[in-house]
Amino acid sequence: MAQDEMSPREWLYLTTPIYYVNDIPHIGHAYTTIACDVVARTSRMTGTPVFFLTGTDEHGQKVWQSAQKLNLPAKIYVDRIMPRFRDLWKFLHISNDDFIRTTEERHILGVQEALNQLWKKGDIYEGPYEGWYCMFDERFWTQKDVSDGLCPDCKRPVEQVLETNYFFKMSQYQDWLVSWYREHPDAIRPESRYNEIMGFLEKPLEDLCISRPVSRMPWGIPIPFAKDYVTYVWFDALLNYITVPLSMPGTAENLKRLWPATHVIGKDILTTHAVYWPTILHALGLEPARLIFAHGWWTVNGEKMSKSRGNAVDPVLYAERFGSDTLRYFLMREGQFGQDSDFSDSSLIQRVNADLANDLGNLLSRVVAMASRSAEDGMFRIPEGYVPSPELLQAAREILPEVPRLTLRFEFHKALGTLWTFISLLNRYVDSKAPWVLAKDPDRKHELDCVLSDLLEGIRVTAVYLAPFMPQTAIRIIESLKSSESLTGLSYQTDGAWGRLPKTLALEPVLPLFEKRNPDGSVQKEPRPARVGSPERRGEIPAPSPSGEPIPAEPLKTGESQPLTRPAKPEIDLEAFQGIELTPATVLAAEPVPKSKKLLKLTVDIGREKRTVVAGIAGSYTPGELIGKTILVLANLKPAKLMGVESQGMVLAAQTETGVSLITFDRDLKPGSEIR
Ligand code: MSP
């Protein structure tokens, strides 16, 4: 596949589809974006320079209709929905380099320039159109396509139209396209999708209608040479892949450097990407994409996911409940990327309990607990003369490099399966070496510390290879091992190599990475049972706290303390409420509080003045993402000193299963506006 042969210097320009803002995101959208993020992060770790683009498709009939339903001007409507996508990607730790909205000027100008170029070249002509139109799919159909007045694609009623439109001469590029695909049999994946397109191209290609009369649908990019028309949404949307590099400083060089792109899409939008798009590119003098990967669809409990069925899975809900890394893991682990997959709570919970809580989480907490018990003066030391276990070393060298190799072939489930083979090996190593037995014999301390060094190093390299899939978990593991890597600039070549664990480690017991779940998704309350298959360890794992449970490294709240219904508080009267000064406050600056993992010092504007407030939100927000946000502050709370910094108010936030969520506003407003 193309990526395999990529030289390390060659750019990976990776794109997701740009998502329609006619509704809020569902797991289908999250799936593509997470997959691209995993590929982007993996590629960066191999040393490949990456430009990763996503965005929103904000024109067209569907969006227009959604705005109309709410009786809102289309621009106001799209401005409201777009953040649901942009913020979801932040929440899921997506590392995109840019986010394009098709209503941005940089895109509109790029589309108009492309239209002008094709118009001047004679590749666009004006002509009559008579036929059927499917409003939902926004496409024309000929008489032979339509039976019983229904769209052959979505089976919704079509309407008869007779109008003048503008057409792109797509048909004239058919022969060229077929021979290009013959020469590039790897350009569409999976192979079955390549065959599908070759089959489609056996029938004559028609010209593509690229305009919509303003009288019928005004929400689109005006066609520069036809004042009563806007651009067909697909022609507009596909061009985002080049309007972004073309609008960056150094325009032409940027496109040359990045192009051709790798497009990851769902199977339903293959024709637009594999037929319309390369012909448009060719007409503009550009090469087709390097690769189009069309993934399968998610069903839910075996049924098609759709708004009308009301079964669309909300990624925010699941990420809040189980953690964004867990959702990322599940979507990448379950099913095969090119095939359809099924989403169900039971399969998610099974993955959480078996793969995450048991195999990975339990391994980390037990090994760190044992190593901190073996530490002297609070320091675990890799013993003098330590020689890594040849068995583990060989496995790490043979198995782990397979993980990025499979990932770059979009075989995510296999990549994770391979990583879990290594994790199982580490678990078996624990079983076979029985460190809890070694720990009882002071004469075997050297042997014990060698085994623990093997395990700590094994876990560290696991975290490096896990990082593209579960970036937050990788950070937590790396932090708990006090190894110095940060995720920025992590590389397989250096960080992924065995033997980079610091010689001396000030280990603290860690909170379990993942909570085991009951079948209804609630957190299991009872102490976790020892792993099946190793009964000898049950109850014998040296525990750092009298209770036998690992002591939390920091008082980070987990889902366990978050019952869905909280006990009611005593009633208060209005006067008591009116004594509270709640105020919207805009964050002007944010910085960490020295020596604190949890606290951030914020400078906020509360309208009448600036205040310094200290908030325990560092685990959930970076200083950079807070600046400019308008949050809710309790302004008349008595000032208090936190870690030496005076806090002149309190930031309000809701506790989620994975951290905190700040209270923000869904309209623009001035800081200091009255709350009542
Ligand atoms: N706006 C166009 C894309 C333009 S790209 C130049 C569009 N948007 S969409 O929001 O409707 O769909 C975006 C992606 O979501 C598509 O790749 C589609 O395949 C994917 N999915 C929609 N439902 C899905 C599932 N049930 N499962 C997986 N992906 C799904 O099309």
Side-chain angles (χ1 to χ4, degrees), residues 75-96:
K75 182 66 169 76
I76 302 218
Y77 170 78
V78 299
D79 284 350
R80 267 191 210 170
I81 301 286
M82 179 281 295
R84 302 293 291 261
F85 286 87
R86 192 197 51 199
D87 295 350
L88 173 62
W89 306 149
K90 282 191 195 146
F91 190 40
L92 296 179
H93 300 281
I94 302 299
S95 63
N96 52 304

PDB file of all heavy atoms in Angstrom, residues 75-96:
ATOM      1  N   LYS A  75     -26.842  31.002   8.205  1.00  0.00           N
ATOM      2  CA  LYS A  75     -25.509  31.244   8.773  1.00  0.00           C
ATOM      3  C   LYS A  75     -25.539  31.120  10.303  1.00  0.00           C
ATOM      4  O   LYS A  75     -24.640  30.570  10.921  1.00  0.00           O
ATOM      5  CB  LYS A  75     -25.005  32.627   8.330  1.00  0.00           C
ATOM      6  CG  LYS A  75     -23.608  32.961   8.824  1.00  0.00           C
ATOM      7  CD  LYS A  75     -22.546  32.040   8.184  1.00  0.00           C
ATOM      8  CE  LYS A  75     -21.126  32.482   8.438  1.00  0.00           C
ATOM      9  NZ  LYS A  75     -20.632  32.214   9.752  1.00  0.00           N
ATOM     10  N   ILE A  76     -26.610  31.637  10.890  1.00  0.00           N
ATOM     11  CA  ILE A  76     -26.732  31.542  12.354  1.00  0.00           C
ATOM     12  C   ILE A  76     -26.853  30.078  12.749  1.00  0.00           C
ATOM     13  O   ILE A  76     -26.232  29.608  13.694  1.00  0.00           O
ATOM     14  CB  ILE A  76     -27.952  32.357  12.839  1.00  0.00           C
ATOM     15  CG1 ILE A  76     -27.746  33.793  12.390  1.00  0.00           C
ATOM     16  CG2 ILE A  76     -28.213  32.154  14.333  1.00  0.00           C
ATOM     17  CD1 ILE A  76     -28.174  34.868  13.300  1.00  0.00           C
ATOM     18  N   TYR A  77     -27.618  29.342  11.963  1.00  0.00           N
ATOM     19  CA  TYR A  77     -27.797  27.917  12.260  1.00  0.00           C
ATOM     20  C   TYR A  77     -26.451  27.178  12.192  1.00  0.00           C
ATOM     21  O   TYR A  77     -26.082  26.457  13.125  1.00  0.00           O
ATOM     22  CB  TYR A  77     -28.804  27.304  11.272  1.00  0.00           C
ATOM     23  CG  TYR A  77     -28.838  25.807  11.363  1.00  0.00           C
ATOM     24  CD1 TYR A  77     -29.518  25.173  12.393  1.00  0.00           C
ATOM     25  CD2 TYR A  77     -28.136  25.026  10.447  1.00  0.00           C
ATOM     26  CE1 TYR A  77     -29.508  23.792  12.505  1.00  0.00           C
ATOM     27  CE2 TYR A  77     -28.123  23.649  10.554  1.00  0.00           C
ATOM     28  CZ  TYR A  77     -28.808  23.039  11.578  1.00  0.00           C
ATOM     29  OH  TYR A  77     -28.783  21.670  11.699  1.00  0.00           O
ATOM     30  N   VAL A  78     -25.694  27.398  11.107  1.00  0.00           N
ATOM     31  CA  VAL A  78     -24.427  26.643  10.981  1.00  0.00           C
ATOM     32  C   VAL A  78     -23.430  27.068  12.056  1.00  0.00           C
ATOM     33  O   VAL A  78     -22.665  26.248  12.567  1.00  0.00           O
ATOM     34  CB  VAL A  78     -23.789  26.730   9.567  1.00  0.00           C
ATOM     35  CG1 VAL A  78     -24.715  26.152   8.516  1.00  0.00           C
ATOM     36  CG2 VAL A  78     -23.360  28.135   9.185  1.00  0.00           C
ATOM     37  N   ASP A  79     -23.463  28.342  12.420  1.00  0.00           N
ATOM     38  CA  ASP A  79     -22.559  28.812  13.484  1.00  0.00           C
ATOM     39  C   ASP A  79     -22.874  28.121  14.812  1.00  0.00           C
ATOM     40  O   ASP A  79     -22.008  27.967  15.659  1.00  0.00           O
ATOM     41  CB  ASP A  79     -22.692  30.332  13.688  1.00  0.00           C
ATOM     42  CG  ASP A  79     -21.987  31.104  12.592  1.00  0.00           C
ATOM     43  OD1 ASP A  79     -21.255  30.470  11.795  1.00  0.00           O
ATOM     44  OD2 ASP A  79     -22.172  32.335  12.512  1.00  0.00           O
ATOM     45  N   ARG A  80     -24.116  27.719  14.969  1.00  0.00           N
ATOM     46  CA  ARG A  80     -24.494  27.046  16.218  1.00  0.00           C
ATOM     47  C   ARG A  80     -24.130  25.574  16.220  1.00  0.00           C
ATOM     48  O   ARG A  80     -23.768  25.023  17.244  1.00  0.00           O
ATOM     49  CB  ARG A  80     -26.007  27.151  16.412  1.00  0.00           C
ATOM     50  CG  ARG A  80     -26.313  28.339  17.238  1.00  0.00           C
ATOM     51  CD  ARG A  80     -27.741  28.302  17.643  1.00  0.00           C
ATOM     52  NE  ARG A  80     -28.196  29.663  17.793  1.00  0.00           N
ATOM     53  CZ  ARG A  80     -29.438  30.012  17.953  1.00  0.00           C
ATOM     54  NH1 ARG A  80     -30.371  29.101  17.958  1.00  0.00           N
ATOM     55  NH2 ARG A  80     -29.756  31.262  18.108  1.00  0.00           N
ATOM     56  N   ILE A  81     -24.271  24.927  15.058  1.00  0.00           N
ATOM     57  CA  ILE A  81     -24.025  23.475  15.033  1.00  0.00           C
ATOM     58  C   ILE A  81     -22.538  23.153  14.885  1.00  0.00           C
ATOM     59  O   ILE A  81     -22.045  22.184  15.466  1.00  0.00           O
ATOM     60  CB  ILE A  81     -24.833  22.789  13.900  1.00  0.00           C
ATOM     61  CG1 ILE A  81     -26.316  23.038  14.091  1.00  0.00           C
ATOM     62  CG2 ILE A  81     -24.536  21.295  13.834  1.00  0.00           C
ATOM     63  CD1 ILE A  81     -26.971  22.263  15.211  1.00  0.00           C
ATOM     64  N   MET A  82     -21.841  23.954  14.101  1.00  0.00           N
ATOM     65  CA  MET A  82     -20.421  23.653  13.837  1.00  0.00           C
ATOM     66  C   MET A  82     -19.623  23.353  15.121  1.00  0.00           C
ATOM     67  O   MET A  82     -18.864  22.384  15.164  1.00  0.00           O
ATOM     68  CB  MET A  82     -19.813  24.815  13.042  1.00  0.00           C
ATOM     69  CG  MET A  82     -18.357  24.677  12.714  1.00  0.00           C
ATOM     70  SD  MET A  82     -17.239  25.069  14.065  1.00  0.00           S
ATOM     71  CE  MET A  82     -17.552  26.802  14.321  1.00  0.00           C
ATOM     72  N   PRO A  83     -19.793  24.155  16.215  1.00  0.00           N
ATOM     73  CA  PRO A  83     -18.985  23.860  17.406  1.00  0.00           C
ATOM     74  C   PRO A  83     -19.216  22.463  17.985  1.00  0.00           C
ATOM     75  O   PRO A  83     -18.360  21.926  18.685  1.00  0.00           O
ATOM     76  CB  PRO A  83     -19.424  24.941  18.413  1.00  0.00           C
ATOM     77  CG  PRO A  83     -19.977  26.036  17.576  1.00  0.00           C
ATOM     78  CD  PRO A  83     -20.610  25.365  16.395  1.00  0.00           C
ATOM     79  N   ARG A  84     -20.382  21.872  17.699  1.00  0.00           N
ATOM     80  CA  ARG A  84     -20.617  20.522  18.213  1.00  0.00           C
ATOM     81  C   ARG A  84     -19.577  19.556  17.639  1.00  0.00           C
ATOM     82  O   ARG A  84     -19.160  18.606  18.295  1.00  0.00           O
ATOM     83  CB  ARG A  84     -22.023  20.024  17.854  1.00  0.00           C
ATOM     84  CG  ARG A  84     -23.133  20.912  18.371  1.00  0.00           C
ATOM     85  CD  ARG A  84     -23.195  20.888  19.884  1.00  0.00           C
ATOM     86  NE  ARG A  84     -23.650  19.610  20.392  1.00  0.00           N
ATOM     87  CZ  ARG A  84     -24.883  19.339  20.791  1.00  0.00           C
ATOM     88  NH1 ARG A  84     -25.788  20.281  20.777  1.00  0.00           N
ATOM     89  NH2 ARG A  84     -25.210  18.152  21.244  1.00  0.00           N
ATOM     90  N   PHE A  85     -19.201  19.785  16.374  1.00  0.00           N
ATOM     91  CA  PHE A  85     -18.173  18.947  15.748  1.00  0.00           C
ATOM     92  C   PHE A  85     -16.793  19.357  16.261  1.00  0.00           C
ATOM     93  O   PHE A  85     -16.032  18.528  16.750  1.00  0.00           O
ATOM     94  CB  PHE A  85     -18.237  19.078  14.220  1.00  0.00           C
ATOM     95  CG  PHE A  85     -19.407  18.351  13.625  1.00  0.00           C
ATOM     96  CD1 PHE A  85     -20.653  18.958  13.511  1.00  0.00           C
ATOM     97  CD2 PHE A  85     -19.275  17.041  13.203  1.00  0.00           C
ATOM     98  CE1 PHE A  85     -21.736  18.277  12.981  1.00  0.00           C
ATOM     99  CE2 PHE A  85     -20.351  16.343  12.665  1.00  0.00           C
ATOM    100  CZ  PHE A  85     -21.587  16.972  12.558  1.00  0.00           C
ATOM    101  N   ARG A  86     -16.504  20.655  16.150  1.00  0.00           N
ATOM    102  CA  ARG A  86     -15.174  21.136  16.530  1.00  0.00           C
ATOM    103  C   ARG A  86     -14.854  20.754  17.984  1.00  0.00           C
ATOM    104  O   ARG A  86     -13.780  20.254  18.292  1.00  0.00           O
ATOM    105  CB  ARG A  86     -15.128  22.657  16.353  1.00  0.00           C
ATOM    106  CG  ARG A  86     -13.743  23.254  16.423  1.00  0.00           C
ATOM    107  CD  ARG A  86     -13.834  24.736  16.653  1.00  0.00           C
ATOM    108  NE  ARG A  86     -14.714  25.024  17.794  1.00  0.00           N
ATOM    109  CZ  ARG A  86     -15.284  26.194  18.027  1.00  0.00           C
ATOM    110  NH1 ARG A  86     -15.089  27.197  17.203  1.00  0.00           N
ATOM    111  NH2 ARG A  86     -16.063  26.387  19.083  1.00  0.00           N
ATOM    112  N   ASP A  87     -15.847  20.934  18.866  1.00  0.00           N
ATOM    113  CA  ASP A  87     -15.590  20.645  20.276  1.00  0.00           C
ATOM    114  C   ASP A  87     -15.509  19.146  20.555  1.00  0.00           C
ATOM    115  O   ASP A  87     -14.772  18.715  21.432  1.00  0.00           O
ATOM    116  CB  ASP A  87     -16.657  21.287  21.169  1.00  0.00           C
ATOM    117  CG  ASP A  87     -16.598  22.808  21.084  1.00  0.00           C
ATOM    118  OD1 ASP A  87     -15.616  23.325  20.497  1.00  0.00           O
ATOM    119  OD2 ASP A  87     -17.523  23.484  21.574  1.00  0.00           O
ATOM    120  N   LEU A  88     -16.272  18.381  19.783  1.00  0.00           N
ATOM    121  CA  LEU A  88     -16.182  16.920  19.957  1.00  0.00           C
ATOM    122  C   LEU A  88     -14.766  16.450  19.633  1.00  0.00           C
ATOM    123  O   LEU A  88     -14.202  15.603  20.327  1.00  0.00           O
ATOM    124  CB  LEU A  88     -17.205  16.204  19.063  1.00  0.00           C
ATOM    125  CG  LEU A  88     -17.090  14.675  19.032  1.00  0.00           C
ATOM    126  CD1 LEU A  88     -17.315  14.057  20.409  1.00  0.00           C
ATOM    127  CD2 LEU A  88     -18.084  14.069  18.034  1.00  0.00           C
ATOM    128  N   TRP A  89     -14.191  17.018  18.589  1.00  0.00           N
ATOM    129  CA  TRP A  89     -12.827  16.571  18.222  1.00  0.00           C
ATOM    130  C   TRP A  89     -11.832  16.930  19.324  1.00  0.00           C
ATOM    131  O   TRP A  89     -10.908  16.184  19.599  1.00  0.00           O
ATOM    132  CB  TRP A  89     -12.388  17.144  16.859  1.00  0.00           C
ATOM    133  CG  TRP A  89     -13.359  16.851  15.750  1.00  0.00           C
ATOM    134  CD1 TRP A  89     -13.612  17.635  14.651  1.00  0.00           C
ATOM    135  CD2 TRP A  89     -14.208  15.685  15.578  1.00  0.00           C
ATOM    136  NE1 TRP A  89     -14.564  17.048  13.844  1.00  0.00           N
ATOM    137  CE2 TRP A  89     -14.951  15.862  14.383  1.00  0.00           C
ATOM    138  CE3 TRP A  89     -14.430  14.522  16.318  1.00  0.00           C
ATOM    139  CZ2 TRP A  89     -15.876  14.920  13.921  1.00  0.00           C
ATOM    140  CZ3 TRP A  89     -15.371  13.582  15.865  1.00  0.00           C
ATOM    141  CH2 TRP A  89     -16.071  13.783  14.695  1.00  0.00           C
ATOM    142  N   LYS A  90     -12.072  18.062  19.976  1.00  0.00           N
ATOM    143  CA  LYS A  90     -11.169  18.399  21.097  1.00  0.00           C
ATOM    144  C   LYS A  90     -11.363  17.390  22.223  1.00  0.00           C
ATOM    145  O   LYS A  90     -10.420  16.914  22.831  1.00  0.00           O
ATOM    146  CB  LYS A  90     -11.484  19.805  21.622  1.00  0.00           C
ATOM    147  CG  LYS A  90     -10.907  20.885  20.735  1.00  0.00           C
ATOM    148  CD  LYS A  90     -10.993  22.231  21.421  1.00  0.00           C
ATOM    149  CE  LYS A  90     -10.776  23.337  20.418  1.00  0.00           C
ATOM    150  NZ  LYS A  90     -11.569  24.533  20.709  1.00  0.00           N
ATOM    151  N   PHE A  91     -12.609  17.104  22.489  1.00  0.00           N
ATOM    152  CA  PHE A  91     -12.958  16.186  23.571  1.00  0.00           C
ATOM    153  C   PHE A  91     -12.365  14.791  23.330  1.00  0.00           C
ATOM    154  O   PHE A  91     -11.963  14.094  24.256  1.00  0.00           O
ATOM    155  CB  PHE A  91     -14.486  16.133  23.649  1.00  0.00           C
ATOM    156  CG  PHE A  91     -15.031  15.418  24.841  1.00  0.00           C
ATOM    157  CD1 PHE A  91     -14.458  15.556  26.087  1.00  0.00           C
ATOM    158  CD2 PHE A  91     -16.156  14.618  24.717  1.00  0.00           C
ATOM    159  CE1 PHE A  91     -14.970  14.895  27.188  1.00  0.00           C
ATOM    160  CE2 PHE A  91     -16.693  13.947  25.805  1.00  0.00           C
ATOM    161  CZ  PHE A  91     -16.091  14.090  27.040  1.00  0.00           C
ATOM    162  N   LEU A  92     -12.323  14.402  22.043  1.00  0.00           N
ATOM    163  CA  LEU A  92     -11.795  13.074  21.716  1.00  0.00           C
ATOM    164  C   LEU A  92     -10.290  13.125  21.435  1.00  0.00           C
ATOM    165  O   LEU A  92      -9.709  12.161  20.956  1.00  0.00           O
ATOM    166  CB  LEU A  92     -12.538  12.491  20.507  1.00  0.00           C
ATOM    167  CG  LEU A  92     -14.029  12.205  20.704  1.00  0.00           C
ATOM    168  CD1 LEU A  92     -14.650  11.661  19.420  1.00  0.00           C
ATOM    169  CD2 LEU A  92     -14.261  11.212  21.848  1.00  0.00           C
ATOM    170  N   HIS A  93      -9.682  14.277  21.709  1.00  0.00           N
ATOM    171  CA  HIS A  93      -8.231  14.456  21.530  1.00  0.00           C
ATOM    172  C   HIS A  93      -7.780  14.178  20.104  1.00  0.00           C
ATOM    173  O   HIS A  93      -6.814  13.460  19.857  1.00  0.00           O
ATOM    174  CB  HIS A  93      -7.453  13.595  22.534  1.00  0.00           C
ATOM    175  CG  HIS A  93      -7.788  13.948  23.940  1.00  0.00           C
ATOM    176  ND1 HIS A  93      -7.251  15.040  24.578  1.00  0.00           N
ATOM    177  CD2 HIS A  93      -8.671  13.420  24.806  1.00  0.00           C
ATOM    178  CE1 HIS A  93      -7.775  15.136  25.776  1.00  0.00           C
ATOM    179  NE2 HIS A  93      -8.650  14.167  25.944  1.00  0.00           N
ATOM    180  N   ILE A  94      -8.515  14.737  19.180  1.00  0.00           N
ATOM    181  CA  ILE A  94      -8.164  14.602  17.763  1.00  0.00           C
ATOM    182  C   ILE A  94      -7.077  15.641  17.450  1.00  0.00           C
ATOM    183  O   ILE A  94      -7.214  16.813  17.818  1.00  0.00           O
ATOM    184  CB  ILE A  94      -9.418  14.840  16.878  1.00  0.00           C
ATOM    185  CG1 ILE A  94     -10.535  13.848  17.244  1.00  0.00           C
ATOM    186  CG2 ILE A  94      -9.061  14.790  15.395  1.00  0.00           C
ATOM    187  CD1 ILE A  94     -10.233  12.392  17.059  1.00  0.00           C
ATOM    188  N   SER A  95      -6.039  15.193  16.753  1.00  0.00           N
ATOM    189  CA  SER A  95      -4.884  16.077  16.570  1.00  0.00           C
ATOM    190  C   SER A  95      -4.875  16.715  15.174  1.00  0.00           C
ATOM    191  O   SER A  95      -3.827  16.763  14.533  1.00  0.00           O
ATOM    192  CB  SER A  95      -3.604  15.279  16.796  1.00  0.00           C
ATOM    193  OG  SER A  95      -3.516  14.259  15.805  1.00  0.00           O
ATOM    194  N   ASN A  96      -6.043  17.156  14.712  1.00  0.00           N
ATOM    195  CA  ASN A  96      -6.083  17.751  13.365  1.00  0.00           C
ATOM    196  C   ASN A  96      -5.264  19.045  13.312  1.00  0.00           C
ATOM    197  O   ASN A  96      -5.203  19.789  14.284  1.00  0.00           O
ATOM    198  CB  ASN A  96      -7.535  18.002  12.924  1.00  0.00           C
ATOM    199  CG  ASN A  96      -8.327  18.771  13.931  1.00  0.00           C
ATOM    200  OD1 ASN A  96      -8.439  18.378  15.080  1.00  0.00           O
ATOM    201  ND2 ASN A  96      -8.874  19.893  13.513  1.00  0.00           N
TER     202      ASN A  96
END
